[in-house]
Amino acid sequence: EPEVTQTPSHQVTQMGQEVILRCVPISNHLYFYWYRQILGQKVEFLVSFYNNEISEKSEIFDDQFSVERPDGSNFTLKIRSTKLEDSAMYFCASSEVRTSGGEQFFGPGTRLTVL
Amino acid sequence: GNSVTQMEGPVTLSEEAFLTINCTYTATGYPSLFWYVQYPGEGLQLLLKATKADDKGSNKGFEATYRKETTSFHLEKGSVQVSDSAVYFCALSGDTNAGKSTFGDGTTLTVKP
């Protein structure tokens, strides 16, 4: 069964460093998302991406964040200068369609720890 | 904007007990509703979904019915097992906001033998 994959599974970085989280969505999907879950809290939407541009972004997704689909398979989230409060689990998701009935498939997540 | 409210947890039950986790929502338009499960150390797995009013989603003995009149999507299971111990998230995907999902706070379920 096709699945969304994410690498690395765990990333430890120093405050102020840049990190890139990588995702490989399901191959025929067209819509891509990043979500964040701070430990013990709810899953929060960061950004959605379609046709090589951002469709929507939340207040969390400030200028420190960027997303890119550098080739036909990868979808990346870059945090330019990490802060302690960026420590969280980051989930990538993809869906075939954008309409509300379209199921989003989530990856296993990358746990980011900022020291 | 859209929002999802789940009953406060954690919930602790004995094996074979009946489970209800309440979920209510606020949304414009006609959202789809989902329950996701997150086992310890793992990602989010879709448990079940319903895309229109009165639809019942079901999977692995879990059920939830989309009630538009009460804006609810309560999760139920008749007889829980130890292996059901996990965090359960109610979520909605609206039809007017780029397809993003809005999640509830999550409810931690612990089932004891």
Side-chain angles (χ1 to χ4, degrees):
Chain A
E1 185 176 332
E3 58 182 16
V4 177
T5 59
Q6 290 184 242
T7 54
S9 57
H10 191 189
Q11 174 89 48
V12 181
T13 190
Q14 296 290 325
M15 190 170 56
Q17 295 297 303
E18 175 183 286
V19 294
I20 297 177
L21 310 183
R22 291 183 167 78
C23 168
V24 179
I26 294 173
S27 62
N28 64 331
H29 286 187
L30 301 176
Y31 300 89
F32 313 114
Y33 311 84
W34 283 101
Y35 293 83
R36 178 181 83 175
Q37 183 185 29
I38 295 172
L39 186 64
Q41 298 186 23
K42 71 166 65 177
V43 179
E44 302 171 290
F45 169 77
L46 292 178
V47 66
S48 59
F49 190 85
Y50 168 71
N51 199 25
N52 282 320
E53 60 182 27
I54 291 174
S55 304
E56 184 179 358
K57 58 185 180 179
S58 71
E59 293 177 351
I60 303 167
F61 195 88
D62 61 22
D63 291 343
Q64 293 298 312
F65 291 89
S66 62
V67 289
E68 191 178 31
R69 189 155 164 81
D71 52 44
S73 60
N74 290 283
F75 179 51
T76 62
L77 174 69
K78 181 193 290 185
I79 308 175
R80 204 157 292 125
S81 177
T82 51
K83 303 188 281 286
L84 294 176
E85 54 264 38
D86 293 327
S87 294
M89 182 75 90
Y90 288 80
F91 292 105
C92 172
S94 69
S95 66
E96 191 173 0
V97 294
R98 196 189 79 173
T99 55
S100 64
E103 176 184 341
Q104 292 181 15
F105 291 80
F106 284 82
T110 293
R111 180 168 298 284
L112 175 65
T113 302
V114 182
L115 302 176
Chain B
N2 295 341
S3 68
V4 175
T5 303
Q6 281 182 242
M7 67 182 287
E8 293 183 12
V11 174
T12 302
L13 296 173
S14 297
E15 208 165 20
E16 299 184 3
F18 183 85
L19 168 70
T20 299
I21 301 178
N22 289 338
C23 171
T24 57
Y25 68 90
T26 302
T28 55
Y30 302 94
S32 289
L33 302 173
F34 306 85
W35 277 100
Y36 289 89
V37 59
Q38 185 178 34
Y39 296 103
E42 298 186 12
L44 296 166
Q45 299 178 26
L46 179 68
L47 181 59
L48 53 85
K49 73 174 186 179
T51 58
K52 61 182 187 296
D54 300 325
D55 266 3
K56 178 187 282 188
S58 61
N59 186 26
K60 300 181 181 179
F62 291 90
E63 293 182 339
T65 301
Y66 188 149
R67 301 285 188 201
K68 195 167 177 64
E69 65 275 15
T70 54
T71 61
S72 65
F73 193 56
H74 304 321
L75 182 68
E76 296 182 337
K77 186 174 185 182
S79 177
V80 293
Q81 305 300 312
V82 172
S83 57
D84 294 326
S85 297
V87 182
Y88 292 82
F89 291 93
C90 184
L92 70 81
S93 175
D95 60 1
T96 58
N97 52 9
K100 72 177 184 185
S101 294
T102 300
F103 287 81
D105 287 342
T107 300
T108 301
L109 170 66
T110 302
V111 181
K112 297 191 172 181

